[in-house]
Amino acid sequence: MALAARLWRFVPLPRGVFPGPRLSRAVAGGRGRGCGRRLRGPEVMGNLGAFKRSLLFSALPYLGFEAYRLFSQAAVVHATAKVFGVEEILEQADYLYESGETEKLYQLLTQYKESEDAELLWRLARASRDIAQLSGTSEEEKKLLVYEALEYAKRALEKNESSFAAHKWYAICISDVGDYEGIKAKIANAYIIKEHFEKAIELNPKDATSIHLMGIWCYTFAEMPWYQRRIAKMLFATPPSSTYEEALGYFHRAEQVDPNFYSKNLLLLGKTYLKLHNKKLAAFWLMKAKDYPAHTEEDKQIQTEAAQLLTGFSDKN
């Protein structure tokens, strides 16, 4: 299997990756954990909007109302931002993300693609990436969206280098772009990806998703076959490298920060212990992965893989 295909098997990312001390079911990792808890955006915006409009309409005479109506039609793209502000837009965006409304979220956020707000921009990067991964997206459209997502993530980082989510999504988007730029770029980008995941963890040590992704980075390079290592050494004097012990440390750390936040973290704990020839602990974590409640298609796939690995145990015993 080519290195480009092996790297970043965290894609597609689970729902559950919001920035903040507790992830809800949305920014790259936890299921209902790891990011800030949020109000339901459309509920807030709907009630607030109706309240503001009722006050406004009751105070306007007929001609004033007509002027207001025409102004509203001409400024529809900016109306939400002006009436509600960025925070309310973010709440609505986060609600749509949690609800799995991928297209609606993208349509909402592309209205603000010229924004200077890092929080809007990294969410737009995430939304572009999610659209790219939909089964109905053509390969040509997918490539355009992947590069578009990287541009939004880059701008988010430029606007706020203290945003852990901007660092995380910049790293994820660089990984995606590497699939179109060849093995040399993919390996070179690995250094950048690692740097930004580490920065995301430094900025928010309670984000289980960033820690999990750093674990996958380590696992990927620990697992790299000898022939790929040889290619990497031909291309770089000191190619990226890691160990299963390092990967295990990150997976455990993610679990400590947010227990049971993601079925794949449980699976990878089991698989890493297998690599380290510790069948007892491997079985423990694989069983947890197999018994994890399946909320997504990915959860179901992980349950199947965990069950297969456990069956392999019993066959050998």
Side-chain angles (χ1 to χ4, degrees):
M1 187 182 297
L3 176 61
R6 295 169 62 83
L7 285 176
W8 315 121
R9 287 173 295 175
F10 52 82
V11 214
L13 293 169
R15 295 209 171 272
V17 191
F18 288 139
R22 292 284 296 171
L23 276 174
S24 180
R25 266 195 56 163
V27 175
R31 188 173 312 293
R33 293 177 173 83
C35 274
R37 297 175 62 85
R38 290 173 174 73
L39 295 173
R40 296 296 185 182
E43 294 174 5
V44 175
M45 294 188 70
N47 295 339
L48 181 59
F51 177 68
K52 287 188 174 183
R53 285 193 298 273
S54 65
L55 287 180
L56 183 59
F57 292 163
S58 64
L60 289 173
Y62 176 75
L63 290 177
F65 169 72
E66 284 298 304
Y68 170 79
R69 183 178 62 82
L70 292 173
F71 171 78
S72 298
Q73 292 173 350
V76 64
V77 170
H78 303 288
T80 306
K82 289 184 177 180
V83 175
F84 300 111
V86 172
E87 287 303 316
E88 286 79 5
I89 299 170
L90 296 181
E91 287 177 356
Q92 184 178 18
D94 290 345
Y95 175 81
L96 290 173
Y97 186 78
E98 283 189 285
S99 302
E101 298 284 357
T102 305
E103 293 92 342
K104 290 181 181 179
L105 174 60
Y106 182 73
Q107 290 168 6
L108 170 69
L109 292 177
T110 49
Q111 297 179 73
Y112 309 103
K113 62 184 179 181
E114 302 303 325
S115 172
E116 300 293 305
D117 188 274
E119 293 297 303
L120 277 171
L121 289 169
W122 74 252
R123 283 171 172 80
L124 182 52
R126 182 185 63 185
S128 301
R129 183 179 184 275
D130 284 348
I131 291 289
Q133 292 183 345
L134 293 178
S135 58
T137 304
S138 69
E139 285 302 314
E140 182 179 354
E141 290 173 321
K142 180 178 180 179
K143 183 177 180 179
L144 290 173
L145 285 162
V146 163
Y147 279 91
E148 176 184 302
L150 177 60
E151 182 59 30
Y152 293 137
K154 181 180 178 182
R155 284 173 53 202
L157 199 55
E158 289 171 349
K159 299 303 177 185
N160 185 5
E161 292 186 356
S162 297
S163 168
F164 90 90
H167 281 279
K168 174 166 58 180
W169 284 98
Y170 182 63
I172 292 169
C173 292
I174 288 177
S175 172
D176 291 342
V177 165
D179 291 335
Y180 297 98
E181 299 189 346
I183 189 170
K184 185 174 181 178
K186 192 77 173 180
I187 296 174
N189 287 344
Y191 291 104
I192 302 171
I193 291 165
K194 181 182 181 183
E195 175 188 343
H196 285 283
F197 280 148
E198 289 176 335
K199 187 63 176 177
I201 294 169
E202 176 189 330
L203 290 167
N204 185 2
K206 297 299 183 181
D207 178 34
T209 305
S210 296
I211 301 169
H212 167 79
L213 294 175
M214 193 61 236
I216 289 186
W217 190 99
C218 295
Y219 188 95
T220 299
F221 284 101
E223 193 182 39
M224 186 187 296
W226 66 269
Y227 62 89
Q228 291 183 356
R229 293 182 191 277
R230 179 173 293 182
I231 294 172
K233 286 180 180 178
M234 291 172 61
L235 296 173
F236 300 93
T238 54
S241 64
S242 190
T243 65
Y244 290 118
E245 287 82 1
E246 284 183 289
L248 188 67
Y250 281 110
F251 295 142
H252 269 301
R253 182 177 169 186
E255 206 61 32
Q256 290 165 0
V257 166
D258 198 355
N260 297 314
F261 76 104
Y262 184 24
S263 60
K264 191 167 186 177
N265 199 65
L266 303 174
L267 177 70
L268 283 169
L269 276 162
K271 292 178 72 171
T272 307
Y273 273 117
L274 270 181
K275 295 290 187 181
L276 295 172
H277 309 292
N278 189 328
K279 291 187 177 181
K280 183 178 180 180
L281 285 174
F284 172 79
W285 290 105
L286 290 173
M287 187 63 72
K288 286 177 73 72
K290 183 179 76 71
D291 294 338
Y292 191 92
H295 299 288
T296 67
E297 188 60 37
E298 184 186 35
D299 289 335
K300 295 176 184 177
Q301 293 170 0
I302 286 169
Q303 283 182 341
T304 300
E305 184 176 354
Q308 290 171 345
L309 289 169
L310 287 166
T311 301
F313 277 21
S314 58
D315 289 345
K316 291 176 182 178
N317 295 332

